[in-house]
Amino acid sequence: MTMLGDSRDATAYDQAVLPYGDMWRHHRRLMHNVVGSQAVRNHQPIQDNEIKILIGDLLERPEDYVKAIERYSVSVVSSVGFGRRIDRMDDTVAKVALKFMEGVDMAIPGLFIMESIPFLLNLPKIVYPLARTMKDSSVQLKAFFTSLAHEGASETSLPNFSTMLIQEQKESNLSDDEIAFLTGNLIGGGVDTTASTTLSFIFAMCAFPDVQRKAFEEIDQVVGQNCMPDWTDKESLPYCAALVSESLRWRTVTILGGIPHAPIQDDVYDGYNIPKGTWIAGNVWSIHRNEQDFPEPDQFNPDRFLEERRPFPNKKGHSAFGWGRRQCSGQPLAEQGLFLTFARLLWSFEMKPALMQDGREEKFDIFAFSQSENMRPEPFNVRFIPRNEERASTILHEVRAARETLAPLNRASSVAKPRFV
């Protein structure tokens, strides 16, 4: 996200658009230290317990499933970033996170005329109000995330990203603005990928019931009746692991690959001259529907990630998190949580379309997704049917234990929300 500042500020401090160099490498290292492939193992207890609470929310209030999923995704990132969890969606951090999700369309190239005519940024608010409104909002957001980080570092002894950044500030003169961008990007980049991918997965389970039944067979054979799946089951649940990859491929959240890339020098590709600094947006929708790589691309088919197939340019088999050095830093955290969320949803529930007044199930249109930079299904009605009474009882027991374990992260915040939230 570049929502935290104007174009000059973003270039100066935002890892997403920083030019490759010492500051970018420094920020990338800091992010890697909290959400890299090794570091995310430290966050498994948080995700483990928050997923149990999510499953309990779906059991007790299935009609509020979207809010439950968003609360879960915000709470994990807030716990990692600031050492405080989110118990309700009216929490200030949750409201700010939702604003980030609403504002992601600002990353769509060419959406605003000021991109082509930059001097509009300097016009008075009465002449061109959008630019001034965005600048004012960025000032408020930077102040909010800076205050939240300092609070997170001072009011809890539990390890979190803010504590690490404040220590880094003492050692390497990291500025408050840099801290604001780093923590803000953790929220901006870590919430919607998880929430929207989970919604797309639930939608797919309703639209492709044969896939869901196949996943049931694997989970029941490996995990059994008496306990929820855990990360230790992952190697024995290859189909469930493939469900994550297929969900990320089938309806990738950032269908333009997030922030556009730009070459740092003139380049030539396939006969095309690409001048230095040219914005390049990746058409992930098209890439993930290339029939050479993904036959019958509109079918939700996890088997494509189990079989021998034409090599994809990266070992993951998809490009849902971007490319190269600027690949999303939070990919390991997202994938770690998505696997356990999907496996536990399938252990707990049969997910089916809601019933209409005549008793028939609603028909799902697999192309009924939002038209935005971050894609998710249009609102749909779903039934979360407990697979049996014993599992429902186990869920409630696990939720009670999870809430007790996470209790130290339940602390209030005195940081005032930005005025525009």
Side-chain angles (χ1 to χ4, degrees):
M1 292 290 295
T2 56
M3 188 175 173
L4 286 174
D6 61 26
S7 58
R8 176 174 53 80
D9 287 339
T11 301
Y13 300 114
D14 190 348
Q15 180 195 351
V17 293
L18 273 172
Y20 186 70
D22 289 343
M23 181 178 286
W24 182 87
R25 284 190 291 270
H26 185 202
H27 286 198
R28 184 77 176 185
R29 176 180 63 79
L30 293 172
M31 292 296 293
H32 182 78
N33 286 344
V34 72
V35 292
S37 57
Q38 298 301 317
V40 295
R41 296 178 183 178
N42 298 326
H43 310 316
Q44 286 185 349
I46 293 172
Q47 289 178 305
D48 172 31
N49 288 293
E50 288 288 7
I51 292 168
K52 290 175 180 176
I53 293 171
L54 167 62
I55 299 297
D57 288 343
L58 297 178
L59 176 67
E60 296 185 310
R61 295 178 299 279
E63 68 279 2
D64 292 330
Y65 73 96
V66 175
K67 289 183 179 180
I69 291 167
E70 290 176 343
R71 184 216 60 81
Y72 155 74
S73 63
V74 176
S75 191
V76 168
V77 177
S78 179
S79 297
V80 171
F82 308 109
R84 64 182 296 269
R85 67 181 298 266
I86 307 300
D87 197 45
R88 302 191 312 270
M89 282 308 292
D90 60 358
D91 185 279
T92 298
V93 175
K95 290 181 177 180
V96 171
L98 289 177
K99 279 294 181 182
F100 264 73
M101 291 161 65
E102 292 172 6
V104 73
D105 283 352
M106 289 188 293
I108 297 177
L111 185 62
F112 299 104
I113 192 173
M114 60 187 171
E115 294 176 9
S116 302
I117 312 175
F119 81 85
L120 293 174
L121 288 166
N122 301 315
L123 291 177
K125 187 173 183 178
I126 193 172
V127 178
Y128 190 60
L130 177 61
R132 177 52 57 188
T133 298
M134 291 174 65
K135 286 184 177 182
D136 291 345
S137 298
S138 75
V139 171
Q140 296 173 44
L141 278 170
K142 282 193 287 188
F144 173 77
F145 282 115
T146 300
S147 299
L148 204 62
H150 282 277
E151 181 184 75
S154 63
E155 294 193 7
T156 178
S157 60
L158 298 172
N160 61 75
F161 191 32
S162 295
T163 301
M164 186 182 78
L165 292 178
I166 298 303
Q167 182 61 38
E168 186 76 15
Q169 187 175 47
K170 298 174 183 177
E171 296 175 357
S172 63
N173 296 319
L174 196 71
S175 71
D176 276 351
D177 279 353
E178 289 176 272
I179 290 173
F181 275 103
L182 285 162
T183 54
N185 283 341
L186 189 67
I187 292 287
V191 171
D192 207 17
T193 300
T194 297
S196 294
T197 302
T198 302
L199 290 171
S200 293
F201 165 75
I202 294 169
F203 183 98
M205 292 302 94
C206 294
F208 299 90
D210 289 346
V211 173
Q212 184 172 200
R213 283 191 288 271
K214 189 171 181 178
F216 287 161
E217 293 174 5
E218 180 182 74
I219 285 178
D220 292 348
Q221 181 178 358
V222 172
V223 180
Q225 172 78 14
N226 299 321
C227 61
M228 290 184 176
D230 204 340
W231 279 292
T232 57
D233 299 311
K234 185 173 182 180
E235 294 301 319
S236 303
L237 296 172
Y239 194 75
C240 288
L243 283 168
V244 176
S245 296
E246 179 67 345
S247 296
L248 291 166
R249 192 256 352 147
W250 185 67
R251 291 296 181 263
T252 308
V253 175
T254 52
I255 57 173
L256 292 179
I259 305 296
H261 291 224
I264 59 176
Q265 61 186 29
D266 292 347
D267 200 0
V268 176
Y269 176 76
D270 199 20
Y272 290 93
N273 292 315
I274 306 175
K276 173 183 176 181
T278 302
W279 285 16
I280 301 173
N283 186 348
V284 184
W285 173 260
S286 180
I287 292 170
H288 284 170
R289 299 178 79 255
N290 177 4
E291 294 202 16
Q292 288 184 309
D293 288 317
F294 308 107
E296 298 184 281
D298 293 324
Q299 293 299 305
F300 187 89
N301 179 18
D303 285 332
R304 70 175 85 247
F305 287 94
L306 299 174
E307 302 168 351
E308 289 294 328
R309 57 194 183 85
R310 183 176 178 270
F312 194 75
N314 65 50
K315 63 181 181 180
K316 290 289 185 181
H318 60 78
S319 298
F321 293 92
W323 306 273
R325 293 190 180 107
R326 293 184 182 273
Q327 183 171 303
C328 177
S329 299
Q331 177 175 352
L333 183 68
E335 290 183 322
Q336 179 172 272
L338 288 171
F339 166 77
L340 200 59
T341 300
F342 292 4
R344 286 181 173 172
L345 279 169
L346 290 161
W347 182 89
S348 303
F349 305 111
E350 183 176 11
M351 291 160 275
K352 304 183 74 173
L355 298 177
M356 298 184 292
Q357 289 185 346
D358 61 6
R360 293 181 299 169
E361 290 184 345
E362 290 186 8
K363 296 294 184 183
F364 282 14
D365 177 359
I366 64 170
F367 296 106
F369 279 67
S370 59
Q371 302 295 311
S372 62
E373 165 65 12
N374 277 11
M375 184 170 64
R376 64 166 54 184
E378 296 289 355
F380 63 99
N381 298 311
V382 58
R383 291 175 289 159
F384 294 91
I385 304 170
R387 294 190 61 196
N388 57 46
E389 292 184 4
E390 290 78 10
R391 295 190 193 197
S393 177
T394 297
I395 291 168
L396 295 176
H397 172 77
E398 293 287 355
V399 168
R400 287 191 292 270
R403 289 193 178 279
E404 290 179 7
T405 302
L406 292 176
L409 294 172
N410 290 331
R411 60 179 179 82
S413 173
S414 61
V415 179
K417 68 180 180 181
R419 293 189 302 275
F420 69 90
V421 174

